[in-house]
Amino acid sequence: MGHQLAAAFLAQSRQIAGAVSRSVKLQEALGWIGIENGKSFNHEIEDIPVEATVVVYFGDEPDKLYQLVQWLPVLEKLHLRHRVVLLFRKVESFRQIRKHTSLPRIFVRRFSSLMDLYEDNQYQLVIYVNNSRTNFQSLEHPRPVHVHVNHGESDKLSMVSNKAKAYDRVFVAGPAAIDRHKARLIDFNIEKLVITGRPQLDVQFEAELEPSNLRTIMYAPTWEGENDDNNYTSVDLYGLEIVSALVADASNRVIYKPHPRVTNSRDVDVRKAHEDICKLIGERKARGQVHEYVPVGNILSMFDHVDALITDVSSVGLDYLYLCPEKPMVLTDRRQNEQQLRLDAPISQACPIVNIRTRASLGSLLNEWIRNDEMSKERLEAREFYFGGLQRGESTEQFFDEISNLMTERTSKLHLYRAWHPTNESS
């Protein structure tokens, strides 16, 4: 009797295990096309239709997802015109993006699967928001138009890469970006550059900062970059002095909003200065003042309630210039070379500069610069230079039009294309 019960139990267990196994396999398959319950991602892609016209490619880990997230509102609008699918090469990024968008998404591990996916679905255009090394695997497929859009507009050295030569088109904000590419690239076809302004800034954001009767001044420094040439942060050199000078004036409300990578910086001096700034703000708040350290949140949604900005050479200052050209801005320079700064970052000609020369007088200078605001005319001229005269709302339409035009142009050339797989298209 005991043997019979044991045998029955074993048979039932096998049935349950089989059912679970089939369920897991189904979940794995669903995972390829972005269904929430997908668990495993080790399958080849073959003959799985993933309907879309535009692919948005992202090959990096989740710590760089912010580069894609800022594009999502624009991509969601584009999805209404041309079906979009987000394509990931890291499963952790694939999973985390669910918190930010309902756009269709897919994870592709193997290069061969990526090529099959592109070929079988005949996608028309691929968008790249950064310079991930894996972009070059995607670029291997010749059928779609490959468009680099980057994730911001900045005068940082990293904004121009020799990798730009690999893409069919590179979307840039305006004339300043064209000059930047001319100055930093050799044997580059400048006709690849297409001006589309800053579509990410056309979105009407829900305010993340409470209004105040005090003058609200934001200090928004960047991080130290991957190397010294790309280090533009002011945190370690001037950060504490800037914040100290601002909180000393009772008519100011100070908002400290550093780049996300400042908070866990690998640079000991940057990390120590950041901690000292947070400590100072905490002490002032304990006295009843209303200064804030804002570690997370969309900085673009805070600008409406900011009266003046102090920032480094980065996309933050240019975003502020696009959205709030009527408001004063102060720029920092860690290299102590004003002539070179004017060449590398033309916005510096429209802003007072915090550097080693002005550092000793920040207590009076910062508040004086912001109150008097003697460079409003120069800021308007700078905005024209950086964004080509496009106003808020116009960049998005320009972006959509260029996407549509490129796909139409590519379609007209496909009769010359020899497809990788034997299809009617190549016969």
Side-chain angles (χ1 to χ4, degrees):
M1 184 69 177
H3 290 295
Q4 291 176 336
L5 287 173
F9 176 76
L10 182 60
Q12 187 176 17
S13 297
R14 286 174 177 164
Q15 287 181 337
I16 293 173
V20 170
S21 175
R22 288 191 295 274
S23 175
V24 168
K25 288 179 181 177
L26 176 61
Q27 290 179 5
E28 289 172 345
L30 291 174
W32 281 113
I33 55 173
I35 302 301
E36 301 289 344
N37 291 328
K39 297 297 183 184
S40 176
F41 301 87
N42 293 316
H43 294 284
E44 298 287 347
I45 293 182
E46 186 175 345
D47 297 328
I48 297 178
V50 181
E51 183 186 351
T53 304
V54 175
V55 174
V56 181
Y57 182 95
F58 190 83
D60 282 323
E61 301 286 356
D63 65 333
K64 294 185 178 179
L65 266 180
Y66 68 91
Q67 298 169 342
L68 172 61
V69 168
Q70 66 170 265
W71 273 104
L72 291 177
V74 179
L75 297 173
E76 287 164 356
K77 286 185 177 180
L78 178 62
H79 186 61
L80 301 176
R81 300 191 185 191
H82 305 291
R83 186 171 175 82
V84 171
V85 62
L86 307 180
L87 191 155
F88 297 88
R89 304 300 300 281
K90 303 293 183 183
V91 70
E92 295 83 1
S93 298
F94 168 82
R95 288 169 175 160
Q96 287 197 24
I97 202 66
R98 298 169 182 165
K99 299 182 292 186
H100 302 282
T101 185
S102 60
L103 282 172
R105 55 200 178 275
I106 184 170
F107 166 78
V108 181
R109 184 168 69 88
R110 293 184 175 90
F111 168 73
S112 60
S113 296
L114 180 66
M115 293 298 100
D116 288 345
L117 182 74
Y118 282 2
E119 184 72 10
D120 292 341
N121 289 276
Q122 299 183 8
Y123 298 129
Q124 296 185 34
L125 188 139
V126 184
I127 291 174
Y128 305 84
V129 299
N130 65 13
N131 279 312
S132 170
R133 285 176 292 181
T134 71
N135 288 6
F136 284 90
Q137 292 191 351
S138 174
L139 282 162
E140 186 77 18
H141 202 287
R143 189 183 194 282
V145 188
H146 297 275
V147 178
H148 190 265
V149 300
N150 222 321
H151 53 276
E153 164 64 356
S154 163
D155 288 309
K156 286 185 177 182
L157 192 65
S158 58
M159 280 298 297
V160 176
S161 168
N162 210 41
K163 298 173 185 175
K165 296 174 181 178
Y167 301 96
D168 294 310
R169 295 290 187 277
V170 177
F171 285 6
V172 296
I178 292 178
D179 284 0
R180 204 180 295 133
H181 283 75
K182 286 180 179 177
R184 296 179 185 172
L185 296 182
I186 301 169
D187 291 332
F188 174 67
N189 180 5
I190 211 71
E191 293 181 2
K192 285 189 174 189
L193 302 181
V194 179
I195 290 178
T196 56
R198 282 283 275 136
Q200 308 99 304
L201 305 186
D202 288 343
V203 178
Q204 294 298 324
F205 300 103
E206 185 175 345
E208 294 188 26
L209 200 63
E210 292 294 326
S212 173
N213 293 326
L214 299 174
R215 184 190 305 109
T216 299
I217 304 174
M218 176 180 282
Y219 173 47
T222 190
W223 68 301
E224 72 271 13
E226 291 93 350
N227 52 55
D228 193 56
D229 287 336
N230 281 302
N231 185 0
Y232 297 89
T233 188
S234 60
V235 174
D236 54 337
L237 294 185
Y238 318 120
L240 186 59
E241 290 167 272
I242 288 172
V243 176
S244 296
L246 295 175
V247 299
D249 189 325
S251 63
N252 291 336
R253 175 179 69 155
V254 179
I255 307 297
Y256 174 48
K257 180 69 175 73
H259 188 287
R261 298 180 76 169
V262 166
T263 58
N264 57 358
S265 173
R266 298 165 298 173
D267 187 299
V268 175
D269 293 334
V270 170
R271 193 165 59 248
K272 174 66 165 56
H274 166 71
E275 292 168 355
D276 289 344
I277 293 170
C278 292
K279 181 181 177 183
L280 174 61
I281 290 175
E283 290 171 352
R284 294 290 179 145
K285 288 186 70 174
R287 298 183 197 175
Q289 297 180 6
V290 292
H291 312 300
E292 293 286 344
Y293 161 50
V294 185
V296 296
N298 182 0
I299 192 171
L300 303 177
S301 68
M302 303 176 191
F303 286 164
D304 283 346
H305 296 308
V306 169
D307 299 307
L309 176 72
I310 302 171
T311 191
D312 308 330
V313 173
S314 73
S315 63
V316 169
L318 297 184
D319 289 350
Y320 190 76
L321 180 68
Y322 181 91
L323 294 173
C324 310
E326 74 284 357
K327 297 180 182 180
M329 178 166 59
V330 177
L331 199 68
T332 73
D333 175 24
R334 71 176 289 119
R335 290 180 170 77
Q336 323 307 330
N337 187 334
E338 290 188 40
Q339 183 177 0
Q340 190 63 44
L341 180 67
R342 288 174 179 270
L343 290 174
D344 293 342
I347 183 61
S348 63
Q349 301 177 52
C351 303
I353 305 298
V354 174
N355 56 22
I356 197 69
R357 182 175 55 82
T358 58
R359 178 180 190 175
S361 305
L362 286 182
S364 58
L365 277 180
L366 279 179
N367 291 297
E368 179 184 333
W369 285 337
I370 291 167
R371 284 197 189 98
N372 294 339
D373 187 22
E374 297 178 348
M375 306 192 80
S376 57
K377 180 181 178 224
E378 289 85 350
R379 281 199 309 276
L380 291 175
E381 292 171 352
R383 191 189 186 283
E384 179 84 15
F385 180 53
Y386 277 97
F387 303 106
L390 289 169
Q391 300 304 309
R392 190 171 188 177
E394 296 175 352
S395 293
T396 301
E397 288 304 314
Q398 180 85 357
F399 178 80
F400 291 165
D401 288 346
E402 294 295 347
I403 292 286
S404 298
N405 292 341
L406 285 174
M407 290 193 296
T408 300
E409 180 185 349
R410 177 55 56 94
T411 299
S412 71
K413 298 175 180 177
L414 286 179
H415 66 283
L416 302 172
Y417 169 65
R418 182 184 182 279
W420 286 20
H421 292 177
T423 63
N424 292 333
E425 184 181 24
S426 61
S427 58

